[in-house]
Amino acid sequence: MTPDFQVIVVGAGHAGCEAALACARAGVPTLLLTINLDTVAAMPCNPSVGGQGKGQLVREIDALGGEMSIVADETSIQRRRLNTRKGIAVQANRFQSDKEAYSRRMLRSVLAQPGLAILQSMVSELHFENDRLAGVKTMAGEIWRAQAVILTPGTFLRGLIHVGETQFSAGRAGEPAADALGQTLSEVGLPIMRFKTGTPPRVDAASIDFSSLERQDHEEDTPPFSLWSDSSISLPSRPCYITRTTAETHRVIKDNFGRSALIAGRITGTGARYCPSIEDKLNKFPDKETHKVFLEPEGAFSREIYLQGLSTSLPEEVQEAYVKTLPGLEKACITRPGYGIEYDIVDPLNLYPTLMSKSIANLFLAGQINGTSGYEEAAAQGLLAGVNAAAAVLKQPPLTLDANSSYLGLMVQEITTLGITEPYRIFTSRSPFRLNLRMSNAEDRLAETGFRHGILSQNRYSKIDQRQKNLSDLESKLHSYSAKASSYRECLPEWALPLPVGSVTAAQLLRHPDAELAMFKPLFPEIASLDRLAVLEVEARIKYSGYFAQQHKEFELIESMRSIKIDAGFFDELPEAVCKEARMKILAVRPATVDALAAIPGVRASDMTLILLTLRRRQRDSELKQ
């Protein structure tokens, strides 16, 4: 007889690790089962964490008490902050990771967590007693009992790898697929769909001529993802490079279209529109002359280079041929070929917002099994599923997050209410609230929630609470301090920007596009003690205060008109200024009320405001005519 646990997590990828840690931190004895202990939190695809939208998710994981942010900081080999020339809403971290170090570091967190056990074993089916979920059964015949089960199998459910005309069963390269578990989920009545993803070839760095390639270096002033990572832990930084496909690259690929598993129709699963294979790009955009290829190191001490942008299911010899047509890679040696992989997912419309199945009580699903793509999306869902599995066991209120308070809440709302037709990934453009969902204010939005649900410790929450008070105090000082230009010149000797005539506040000076908070240290010495994320947050609050006020008015307008009905013909004459993406989404739905219009994801608040003002004007004109 095996010992009982209160929660069992199946799969130790990014979703599974966060789920197991969240359960244990909430005080629930948890068992984490994985096919291979050597590949915990593996990075089989891009060796990076973050990016636009994804970086915000990682910060939310940190604010809630998760682990990905800490591990990403302590195993990074390059840090960059994206979109710094654009608005604060779309600025985000993207870190290159040492993928082996990342896996080892996450395993260390799992092993060190009290109340969490980990075991190498393959789960073959769910175990039921008296028609209720009671645990899982392994391929070895063992039954592990628990009150709740969290499934986080990634791409392993009946996974099928394609390399040209060759196909074979696998969860990812070198690891067996979970065929029995996939069959079980179908047999118990869960709605199964088939999705596809893929990876590019890896290349030996010693065979690449980097001398003519565009170089991207580590940016030293990039803030960390986490408030809790150990800054003394660091790996040597590594540069990335950019090359581009050529006419010869395209010729080689197009000549072999028929050998691509995707284009030949041997892959039936649906792939991600935003991350297509190279042959899919050339098939759908035949007139595009070139595509960027990013050369990304897989580790601080690894010689393997990941060719981001060349995901493929072409045969190995074709991959060898087209890789050698890339500038700088004429003598490149492939160390691992790229491949496409099909796998089962469960239609996320079958989920509650807690990520519990509507079909099987106390069965929770997180990560790629829900049809999402990306390590960050998986980890965030894992944390939410872990919190709610623990809450179900402890008979406590579950956690649900609003779309206006987090990207995690937005993602869960979209996949569980709108459904998906392709692998889902988060984008800042999906949220009309994105100005409020900044990377720098995750603690302000979510730390209290993490503490209330037991996954953010009292010690960390107390420190965050004090940190938030310090930020608010500094913001107040910037608004209240006022002086004339002559006084500022005397107090701020390094200030080289123009100064207005008359008295102005420090906050007004900080609103200058080139002004930085660090310039005000002589007036406010406490600035020197702020972490980099805190500095960005104070700058955002001051510089974007006008935008925040305008956005608040837009939201008030939406709220005041939610119950208003919309005539079916209204959408035939939408204002020209409505962006193309919003127009397409709105016309596809043709909502009958403003409430339904506001529920369409990815429609900007500015577009909503324009549409509502037009609707109000037309209704008034119609009333006057009557």
Side-chain angles (χ1 to χ4, degrees):
M1 177 72 69
T2 58
D4 291 347
F5 291 85
Q6 290 184 296
V7 176
I8 292 173
V9 180
V10 180
H14 301 277
C17 289
E18 294 291 353
L21 288 166
C23 286
R25 287 168 180 171
V28 174
T30 304
L31 173 64
L32 177 58
L33 295 171
T34 179
I35 292 174
N36 188 348
L37 278 170
D38 294 328
T39 55
V40 168
M43 291 180 150
C45 199
N46 198 358
S48 70
V49 173
Q52 188 174 324
K54 291 173 178 285
Q56 282 84 344
L57 269 182
V58 179
R59 288 286 299 121
E60 291 177 2
I61 290 168
D62 193 59
L64 286 166
E67 198 72 10
M68 170 178 265
S69 48
I70 298 172
V71 178
D73 283 349
E74 295 182 3
T75 61
S76 65
I77 56 175
Q78 185 189 97
R79 300 185 181 189
R80 293 174 64 86
R81 190 160 145 252
L82 308 181
N83 300 323
T84 53
R85 296 183 181 179
K86 297 182 180 180
I88 192 68
V90 297
Q91 294 178 17
N93 286 354
R94 184 179 186 274
F95 290 5
Q96 287 297 127
S97 299
D98 182 309
K99 68 177 189 178
E100 290 186 5
Y102 188 101
S103 177
R104 291 194 303 270
R105 177 62 182 81
M106 184 63 81
L107 179 59
R108 194 177 94 200
S109 292
V110 169
L111 293 173
Q113 177 60 48
L116 175 57
I118 185 169
L119 175 67
Q120 180 169 295
S121 185
M122 178 180 280
V123 172
S124 58
E125 59 186 274
L126 299 175
H127 175 67
F128 294 86
E129 294 178 1
N130 300 319
D131 295 326
R132 295 179 62 86
L133 181 65
V136 299
K137 185 176 181 180
T138 71
M139 292 292 287
E142 290 182 311
I143 293 176
W144 294 90
R145 289 178 174 81
Q147 298 174 48
V149 173
I150 306 174
L151 294 183
T152 64
T155 59
F156 280 68
L157 291 180
R158 294 193 283 198
L160 187 65
I161 282 181
H162 295 264
V163 184
E165 297 89 349
T166 303
Q167 60 184 41
F168 52 91
S169 174
R172 57 179 169 239
E175 295 187 69
D179 291 332
L181 181 58
Q183 183 63 33
T184 295
L185 298 186
S186 179
E187 290 172 354
V188 298
L190 293 178
I192 303 299
M193 301 168 66
R194 196 79 168 154
F195 273 8
K196 171 262 177 187
T197 188
T199 71
R202 272 74 160 177
V203 173
D204 186 345
S207 66
I208 300 173
D209 179 4
F210 294 101
S211 61
S212 63
L213 302 185
E214 181 182 341
R215 177 171 169 145
Q216 289 184 331
D217 283 305
H218 171 81
E219 296 175 349
E220 195 63 44
D221 63 344
T222 303
F225 276 120
S226 178
L227 300 182
W228 317 112
S229 52
D230 187 342
S231 60
S232 69
I233 298 175
S234 63
L235 293 170
S237 63
R238 292 281 301 275
C240 296
Y241 294 86
I242 299 174
T243 187
R244 288 167 174 80
T245 60
T246 64
E248 181 62 11
T249 313
H250 295 192
R251 184 196 66 77
V252 172
I253 294 171
K254 289 178 180 179
D255 284 352
N256 288 278
F257 268 171
R259 303 184 69 190
S260 163
L262 178 66
I263 294 178
R266 288 184 290 276
I267 293 177
T268 58
T270 305
R273 179 165 36 119
Y274 300 104
C275 188
S277 66
I278 184 61
E279 58 263 36
D280 202 23
K281 290 179 189 177
L282 300 189
N283 190 40
K284 291 179 178 176
F285 308 103
D287 297 328
K288 190 170 176 61
E289 294 182 356
T290 188
H291 295 272
K292 279 187 177 181
V293 179
F294 295 86
L295 280 65
E296 301 175 342
E298 297 235 302
F301 308 104
S302 171
R303 283 194 1 187
E304 285 192 289
I305 299 293
Y306 182 94
L307 301 183
Q308 170 73 354
L310 289 184
S311 175
T312 186
S313 61
L314 284 162
E316 290 186 40
E317 63 269 23
V318 179
Q319 295 181 42
E320 288 274 4
Y322 76 66
V323 163
K324 291 180 185 297
T325 67
L326 301 173
L329 281 79
E330 292 86 355
K331 299 180 180 179
C333 296
I334 290 179
T335 55
R336 308 185 203 204
Y339 61 85
I341 182 169
E342 289 184 277
Y343 54 97
D344 286 351
I345 73 159
V346 174
D347 187 342
L349 289 176
N350 184 252
L351 298 175
Y352 293 111
T354 60
L355 297 183
M356 186 175 79
S357 169
K358 294 177 180 177
S359 303
I360 303 174
N362 286 355
L363 175 66
F364 295 82
L365 311 179
Q368 282 179 286
I369 190 174
N370 292 338
T372 59
S373 67
Y375 310 139
E376 303 84 356
E377 288 88 344
Q381 289 173 69
L383 188 149
L384 181 63
V387 169
N388 285 321
V393 167
L394 298 172
K395 302 190 184 315
Q396 295 177 347
L399 170 61
T400 57
L401 294 170
D402 296 328
N404 61 351
S405 68
S406 67
Y407 280 106
L408 173 52
L410 172 68
M411 171 173 58
V412 172
Q413 181 191 80
E414 290 194 344
I415 66 174
T416 61
T417 62
L418 302 176
I420 53 177
T421 57
E422 63 179 350
Y424 176 101
R425 67 166 290 183
I426 200 71
F427 290 106
T428 54
S429 60
R430 290 185 183 274
S431 175
F433 307 100
R434 57 186 172 275
L435 197 56
N436 290 343
L437 306 183
R438 304 183 296 281
M439 199 184 78
S440 58
N441 73 342
E443 285 74 24
D444 197 33
R445 294 183 279 118
L446 298 169
E448 183 181 354
T449 299
F451 173 65
R452 191 164 16 97
H453 286 269
I455 50 174
L456 184 66
S457 70
Q458 173 71 65
N459 180 50
R460 288 186 175 180
Y461 180 64
S462 296
K463 291 180 178 178
I464 288 174
D465 188 49
Q466 185 59 54
R467 177 181 182 268
Q468 297 308 105
K469 289 176 182 176
N470 293 343
L471 298 192
S472 296
D473 289 346
L474 177 58
E475 185 183 2
S476 296
K477 289 181 181 179
L478 288 162
H479 280 293
S480 60
Y481 184 92
S482 181
K484 292 183 178 180
S486 58
S487 178
Y488 278 118
R489 287 194 182 94
E490 184 178 335
C491 296
L492 306 177
E494 295 185 7
W495 183 274
L497 300 173
L499 287 167
V501 177
S503 294
V504 293
T505 66
Q508 288 173 310
L509 282 187
L510 183 54
R511 290 194 185 106
H512 189 285
D514 296 323
E516 295 180 355
L517 187 62
M519 296 175 177
F520 294 84
K521 286 180 184 178
L523 285 174
F524 310 104
E526 61 265 42
I527 292 173
S529 64
L530 295 180
D531 60 81
R532 180 64 179 142
L533 284 164
V535 169
L536 292 175
E537 176 57 15
V538 173
E539 290 181 347
R541 292 182 188 182
I542 301 294
K543 289 176 178 286
Y544 290 86
S545 57
Y547 293 97
F548 297 151
Q550 177 60 34
Q551 182 175 259
H552 183 68
K553 291 179 182 178
E554 292 170 348
F555 293 156
E556 284 186 331
L557 176 64
I558 294 171
E559 289 301 317
S560 69
M561 297 181 67
R562 278 191 179 275
S563 61
I564 293 177
K565 295 183 178 180
I566 305 176
D567 188 281
F570 171 77
F571 297 108
D572 293 329
E573 298 182 22
L574 284 174
E576 291 185 5
V578 175
C579 77
K580 183 178 179 181
E581 182 178 2
R583 186 183 301 272
M584 290 173 59
K585 291 181 177 181
I586 291 167
L587 290 176
V589 177
R590 290 185 174 267
T593 65
V594 170
D595 195 37
L597 175 63
I600 299 174
V603 177
R604 299 178 303 183
S606 56
D607 286 326
M608 278 288 297
T609 301
L610 182 59
I611 292 168
L612 294 183
L613 291 175
T614 303
L615 176 62
R616 178 183 284 177
R617 187 184 71 250
R618 290 182 187 176
Q619 288 183 336
R620 286 175 178 171
D621 290 346
S622 178
E623 290 170 0
L624 288 174
K625 289 179 182 178
Q626 294 175 0

mmCIF file of all heavy atoms in Angstrom, residues 89-120:
data_model
loop_
_atom_site.group_PDB
_atom_site.id
_atom_site.type_symbol
_atom_site.label_atom_id
_atom_site.label_comp_id
_atom_site.label_asym_id
_atom_site.label_seq_id
_atom_site.Cartn_x
_atom_site.Cartn_y
_atom_site.Cartn_z
ATOM 1 N N ALA A 89 3.438 50.023 -20.929
ATOM 2 C CA ALA A 89 2.573 48.841 -20.948
ATOM 3 C C ALA A 89 3.204 47.679 -21.692
ATOM 4 O O ALA A 89 2.926 46.516 -21.382
ATOM 5 C CB ALA A 89 1.210 49.181 -21.560
ATOM 6 N N VAL A 90 4.025 47.962 -22.694
ATOM 7 C CA VAL A 90 4.588 46.886 -23.518
ATOM 8 C C VAL A 90 6.063 46.626 -23.226
ATOM 9 O O VAL A 90 6.677 45.777 -23.860
ATOM 10 C CB VAL A 90 4.395 47.181 -25.026
ATOM 11 C CG1 VAL A 90 2.924 47.235 -25.368
ATOM 12 C CG2 VAL A 90 5.095 48.474 -25.436
ATOM 13 N N GLN A 91 6.645 47.344 -22.275
ATOM 14 C CA GLN A 91 8.034 47.083 -21.902
ATOM 15 C C GLN A 91 8.100 45.821 -21.043
ATOM 16 O O GLN A 91 7.271 45.621 -20.158
ATOM 17 C CB GLN A 91 8.604 48.275 -21.136
ATOM 18 C CG GLN A 91 8.721 49.526 -21.988
ATOM 19 C CD GLN A 91 9.227 50.719 -21.220
ATOM 20 O OE1 GLN A 91 9.795 50.586 -20.135
ATOM 21 N NE2 GLN A 91 9.030 51.908 -21.774
ATOM 22 N N ALA A 92 9.065 44.963 -21.319
ATOM 23 C CA ALA A 92 9.139 43.689 -20.593
ATOM 24 C C ALA A 92 10.539 43.109 -20.666
ATOM 25 O O ALA A 92 11.283 43.344 -21.622
ATOM 26 C CB ALA A 92 8.137 42.691 -21.168
ATOM 27 N N ASN A 93 10.886 42.330 -19.665
ATOM 28 C CA ASN A 93 12.163 41.594 -19.645
ATOM 29 C C ASN A 93 12.100 40.381 -20.555
ATOM 30 O O ASN A 93 11.052 39.743 -20.693
ATOM 31 C CB ASN A 93 12.472 41.090 -18.239
ATOM 32 C CG ASN A 93 12.915 42.194 -17.300
ATOM 33 O OD1 ASN A 93 13.109 43.333 -17.708
ATOM 34 N ND2 ASN A 93 13.075 41.850 -16.039
ATOM 35 N N ARG A 94 13.250 40.059 -21.128
ATOM 36 C CA ARG A 94 13.424 38.768 -21.793
ATOM 37 C C ARG A 94 14.834 38.294 -21.468
ATOM 38 O O ARG A 94 15.817 38.966 -21.791
ATOM 39 C CB ARG A 94 13.237 38.869 -23.305
ATOM 40 C CG ARG A 94 13.319 37.499 -24.002
ATOM 41 C CD ARG A 94 13.102 37.634 -25.517
ATOM 42 N NE ARG A 94 13.031 36.355 -26.174
ATOM 43 C CZ ARG A 94 14.083 35.658 -26.603
ATOM 44 N NH1 ARG A 94 15.309 36.144 -26.414
ATOM 45 N NH2 ARG A 94 13.930 34.501 -27.210
ATOM 46 N N PHE A 95 14.932 37.153 -20.814
ATOM 47 C CA PHE A 95 16.223 36.609 -20.382
ATOM 48 C C PHE A 95 16.538 35.332 -21.158
ATOM 49 O O PHE A 95 15.687 34.448 -21.278
ATOM 50 C CB PHE A 95 16.199 36.240 -18.891
ATOM 51 C CG PHE A 95 16.144 37.408 -17.947
ATOM 52 C CD1 PHE A 95 16.012 38.710 -18.408
ATOM 53 C CD2 PHE A 95 16.224 37.195 -16.579
ATOM 54 C CE1 PHE A 95 15.960 39.779 -17.535
ATOM 55 C CE2 PHE A 95 16.176 38.252 -15.688
ATOM 56 C CZ PHE A 95 16.037 39.557 -16.164
ATOM 57 N N GLN A 96 17.759 35.247 -21.670
ATOM 58 C CA GLN A 96 18.258 33.965 -22.151
ATOM 59 C C GLN A 96 18.643 33.125 -20.940
ATOM 60 O O GLN A 96 19.245 33.645 -19.993
ATOM 61 C CB GLN A 96 19.482 34.146 -23.042
ATOM 62 C CG GLN A 96 19.202 34.701 -24.425
ATOM 63 C CD GLN A 96 18.325 33.790 -25.252
ATOM 64 O OE1 GLN A 96 17.302 34.216 -25.776
ATOM 65 N NE2 GLN A 96 18.709 32.531 -25.365
ATOM 66 N N SER A 97 18.297 31.851 -20.964
ATOM 67 C CA SER A 97 18.570 30.975 -19.831
ATOM 68 C C SER A 97 19.592 29.910 -20.203
ATOM 69 O O SER A 97 19.660 29.475 -21.352
ATOM 70 C CB SER A 97 17.286 30.280 -19.375
ATOM 71 O OG SER A 97 16.315 31.215 -18.959
ATOM 72 N N ASP A 98 20.372 29.520 -19.218
ATOM 73 C CA ASP A 98 21.169 28.305 -19.347
ATOM 74 C C ASP A 98 20.201 27.163 -19.042
ATOM 75 O O ASP A 98 19.783 26.987 -17.897
ATOM 76 C CB ASP A 98 22.316 28.326 -18.340
ATOM 77 C CG ASP A 98 23.224 27.118 -18.456
ATOM 78 O OD1 ASP A 98 22.696 25.975 -18.450
ATOM 79 O OD2 ASP A 98 24.443 27.289 -18.524
ATOM 80 N N LYS A 99 19.822 26.407 -20.061
ATOM 81 C CA LYS A 99 18.700 25.490 -19.865
ATOM 82 C C LYS A 99 19.019 24.361 -18.877
ATOM 83 O O LYS A 99 18.135 23.924 -18.143
ATOM 84 C CB LYS A 99 18.219 24.926 -21.198
ATOM 85 C CG LYS A 99 19.146 23.986 -21.918
ATOM 86 C CD LYS A 99 18.467 23.467 -23.181
ATOM 87 C CE LYS A 99 19.271 22.360 -23.823
ATOM 88 N NZ LYS A 99 18.588 21.830 -25.031
ATOM 89 N N GLU A 100 20.256 23.887 -18.842
ATOM 90 C CA GLU A 100 20.610 22.851 -17.868
ATOM 91 C C GLU A 100 20.617 23.417 -16.452
ATOM 92 O O GLU A 100 20.125 22.791 -15.510
ATOM 93 C CB GLU A 100 21.973 22.246 -18.216
ATOM 94 C CG GLU A 100 21.955 21.402 -19.486
ATOM 95 C CD GLU A 100 23.284 20.700 -19.717
ATOM 96 O OE1 GLU A 100 24.170 20.794 -18.842
ATOM 97 O OE2 GLU A 100 23.440 20.064 -20.776
ATOM 98 N N ALA A 101 21.161 24.618 -16.293
ATOM 99 C CA ALA A 101 21.189 25.251 -14.972
ATOM 100 C C ALA A 101 19.776 25.560 -14.498
ATOM 101 O O ALA A 101 19.472 25.433 -13.303
ATOM 102 C CB ALA A 101 22.025 26.530 -15.032
ATOM 103 N N TYR A 102 18.914 25.959 -15.430
ATOM 104 C CA TYR A 102 17.524 26.256 -15.077
ATOM 105 C C TYR A 102 16.842 25.016 -14.501
ATOM 106 O O TYR A 102 16.194 25.070 -13.448
ATOM 107 C CB TYR A 102 16.760 26.748 -16.313
ATOM 108 C CG TYR A 102 15.365 27.250 -16.010
ATOM 109 C CD1 TYR A 102 15.109 28.616 -15.929
ATOM 110 C CD2 TYR A 102 14.310 26.374 -15.790
ATOM 111 C CE1 TYR A 102 13.832 29.091 -15.638
ATOM 112 C CE2 TYR A 102 13.037 26.833 -15.495
ATOM 113 C CZ TYR A 102 12.807 28.192 -15.424
ATOM 114 O OH TYR A 102 11.539 28.646 -15.123
ATOM 115 N N SER A 103 17.004 23.901 -15.182
ATOM 116 C CA SER A 103 16.391 22.650 -14.724
ATOM 117 C C SER A 103 16.919 22.245 -13.351
ATOM 118 O O SER A 103 16.147 21.885 -12.455
ATOM 119 C CB SER A 103 16.668 21.544 -15.751
ATOM 120 O OG SER A 103 16.150 20.305 -15.312
ATOM 121 N N ARG A 104 18.238 22.323 -13.163
ATOM 122 C CA ARG A 104 18.838 21.945 -11.878
ATOM 123 C C ARG A 104 18.363 22.865 -10.759
ATOM 124 O O ARG A 104 18.093 22.423 -9.636
ATOM 125 C CB ARG A 104 20.363 21.970 -11.968
ATOM 126 C CG ARG A 104 20.968 20.889 -12.853
ATOM 127 C CD ARG A 104 22.463 20.762 -12.611
ATOM 128 N NE ARG A 104 23.164 22.027 -12.817
ATOM 129 C CZ ARG A 104 23.670 22.420 -13.977
ATOM 130 N NH1 ARG A 104 23.537 21.659 -15.048
ATOM 131 N NH2 ARG A 104 24.309 23.583 -14.079
ATOM 132 N N ARG A 105 18.266 24.162 -11.058
ATOM 133 C CA ARG A 105 17.863 25.136 -10.031
ATOM 134 C C ARG A 105 16.404 24.927 -9.616
ATOM 135 O O ARG A 105 16.066 25.017 -8.424
ATOM 136 C CB ARG A 105 18.083 26.557 -10.564
ATOM 137 C CG ARG A 105 17.622 27.672 -9.617
ATOM 138 C CD ARG A 105 18.388 27.659 -8.314
ATOM 139 N NE ARG A 105 17.914 28.685 -7.395
ATOM 140 C CZ ARG A 105 16.837 28.568 -6.630
ATOM 141 N NH1 ARG A 105 16.122 27.437 -6.667
ATOM 142 N NH2 ARG A 105 16.462 29.537 -5.827
ATOM 143 N N MET A 106 15.539 24.639 -10.572
ATOM 144 C CA MET A 106 14.137 24.386 -10.229
ATOM 145 C C MET A 106 14.006 23.092 -9.430
ATOM 146 O O MET A 106 13.230 23.018 -8.466
ATOM 147 C CB MET A 106 13.273 24.319 -11.493
ATOM 148 C CG MET A 106 11.777 24.146 -11.216
ATOM 149 S SD MET A 106 11.031 25.527 -10.306
ATOM 150 C CE MET A 106 10.777 26.704 -11.639
ATOM 151 N N LEU A 107 14.763 22.070 -9.809
ATOM 152 C CA LEU A 107 14.737 20.816 -9.060
ATOM 153 C C LEU A 107 15.180 21.057 -7.617
ATOM 154 O O LEU A 107 14.609 20.481 -6.683
ATOM 155 C CB LEU A 107 15.633 19.779 -9.729
ATOM 156 C CG LEU A 107 15.731 18.418 -9.029
ATOM 157 C CD1 LEU A 107 14.357 17.753 -8.912
ATOM 158 C CD2 LEU A 107 16.709 17.508 -9.771
ATOM 159 N N ARG A 108 16.157 21.918 -7.435
ATOM 160 C CA ARG A 108 16.617 22.235 -6.085
ATOM 161 C C ARG A 108 15.486 22.847 -5.244
ATOM 162 O O ARG A 108 15.302 22.509 -4.071
ATOM 163 C CB ARG A 108 17.794 23.214 -6.156
ATOM 164 C CG ARG A 108 18.560 23.357 -4.856
ATOM 165 C CD ARG A 108 19.736 24.287 -5.039
ATOM 166 N NE ARG A 108 19.385 25.657 -4.674
ATOM 167 C CZ ARG A 108 20.041 26.738 -5.076
ATOM 168 N NH1 ARG A 108 21.072 26.600 -5.895
ATOM 169 N NH2 ARG A 108 19.685 27.929 -4.685
ATOM 170 N N SER A 109 14.706 23.729 -5.846
ATOM 171 C CA SER A 109 13.573 24.338 -5.131
ATOM 172 C C SER A 109 12.532 23.292 -4.770
ATOM 173 O O SER A 109 11.974 23.306 -3.668
ATOM 174 C CB SER A 109 12.927 25.435 -5.989
ATOM 175 O OG SER A 109 13.788 26.532 -6.147
ATOM 176 N N VAL A 110 12.269 22.381 -5.697
ATOM 177 C CA VAL A 110 11.286 21.322 -5.454
ATOM 178 C C VAL A 110 11.745 20.420 -4.312
ATOM 179 O O VAL A 110 10.977 20.097 -3.390
ATOM 180 C CB VAL A 110 11.052 20.506 -6.742
ATOM 181 C CG1 VAL A 110 10.258 19.240 -6.451
ATOM 182 C CG2 VAL A 110 10.323 21.358 -7.786
ATOM 183 N N LEU A 111 13.019 20.012 -4.351
ATOM 184 C CA LEU A 111 13.539 19.100 -3.334
ATOM 185 C C LEU A 111 13.607 19.762 -1.947
ATOM 186 O O LEU A 111 13.497 19.085 -0.922
ATOM 187 C CB LEU A 111 14.931 18.607 -3.738
ATOM 188 C CG LEU A 111 14.991 17.702 -4.976
ATOM 189 C CD1 LEU A 111 16.436 17.433 -5.364
ATOM 190 C CD2 LEU A 111 14.248 16.401 -4.746
ATOM 191 N N ALA A 112 13.787 21.071 -1.921
ATOM 192 C CA ALA A 112 13.926 21.773 -0.644
ATOM 193 C C ALA A 112 12.584 22.146 -0.023
ATOM 194 O O ALA A 112 12.550 22.584 1.132
ATOM 195 C CB ALA A 112 14.762 23.038 -0.842
ATOM 196 N N GLN A 113 11.488 21.971 -0.763
ATOM 197 C CA GLN A 113 10.188 22.424 -0.274
ATOM 198 C C GLN A 113 9.582 21.427 0.725
ATOM 199 O O GLN A 113 9.285 20.281 0.366
ATOM 200 C CB GLN A 113 9.218 22.614 -1.451
ATOM 201 C CG GLN A 113 7.817 23.022 -1.058
ATOM 202 C CD GLN A 113 7.780 24.330 -0.308
ATOM 203 O OE1 GLN A 113 8.381 25.311 -0.732
ATOM 204 N NE2 GLN A 113 7.071 24.355 0.815
ATOM 205 N N PRO A 114 9.360 21.837 1.966
ATOM 206 C CA PRO A 114 8.696 20.944 2.933
ATOM 207 C C PRO A 114 7.290 20.572 2.462
ATOM 208 O O PRO A 114 6.580 21.393 1.879
ATOM 209 C CB PRO A 114 8.628 21.801 4.210
ATOM 210 C CG PRO A 114 9.699 22.829 4.042
ATOM 211 C CD PRO A 114 9.753 23.121 2.579
ATOM 212 N N GLY A 115 6.911 19.331 2.703
ATOM 213 C CA GLY A 115 5.578 18.870 2.333
ATOM 214 C C GLY A 115 5.438 18.459 0.888
ATOM 215 O O GLY A 115 4.335 18.154 0.429
ATOM 216 N N LEU A 116 6.567 18.428 0.148
ATOM 217 C CA LEU A 116 6.529 18.053 -1.270
ATOM 218 C C LEU A 116 7.484 16.896 -1.528
ATOM 219 O O LEU A 116 8.683 16.987 -1.249
ATOM 220 C CB LEU A 116 6.915 19.251 -2.147
ATOM 221 C CG LEU A 116 7.050 19.001 -3.654
ATOM 222 C CD1 LEU A 116 5.766 18.426 -4.243
ATOM 223 C CD2 LEU A 116 7.441 20.286 -4.376
ATOM 224 N N ALA A 117 6.947 15.789 -2.054
ATOM 225 C CA ALA A 117 7.760 14.633 -2.447
ATOM 226 C C ALA A 117 7.766 14.535 -3.965
ATOM 227 O O ALA A 117 6.787 14.902 -4.634
ATOM 228 C CB ALA A 117 7.183 13.356 -1.848
ATOM 229 N N ILE A 118 8.861 14.050 -4.528
ATOM 230 C CA ILE A 118 8.960 13.889 -5.977
ATOM 231 C C ILE A 118 9.416 12.477 -6.287
ATOM 232 O O ILE A 118 10.284 11.921 -5.590
ATOM 233 C CB ILE A 118 9.914 14.947 -6.595
ATOM 234 C CG1 ILE A 118 9.919 14.839 -8.134
ATOM 235 C CG2 ILE A 118 11.316 14.847 -6.022
ATOM 236 C CD1 ILE A 118 10.618 16.001 -8.820
ATOM 237 N N LEU A 119 8.825 11.891 -7.322
ATOM 238 C CA LEU A 119 9.113 10.499 -7.667
ATOM 239 C C LEU A 119 9.133 10.330 -9.180
ATOM 240 O O LEU A 119 8.284 10.869 -9.891
ATOM 241 C CB LEU A 119 8.033 9.576 -7.077
ATOM 242 C CG LEU A 119 8.108 8.091 -7.438
ATOM 243 C CD1 LEU A 119 9.349 7.452 -6.813
ATOM 244 C CD2 LEU A 119 6.843 7.369 -6.966
ATOM 245 N N GLN A 120 10.108 9.579 -9.673
ATOM 246 C CA GLN A 120 10.164 9.248 -11.097
ATOM 247 C C GLN A 120 9.258 8.055 -11.356
ATOM 248 O O GLN A 120 9.528 6.936 -10.905
ATOM 249 C CB GLN A 120 11.600 8.936 -11.516
ATOM 250 C CG GLN A 120 11.743 8.578 -13.000
ATOM 251 C CD GLN A 120 13.176 8.525 -13.439
ATOM 252 O OE1 GLN A 120 13.882 9.540 -13.449
ATOM 253 N NE2 GLN A 120 13.647 7.331 -13.799
#
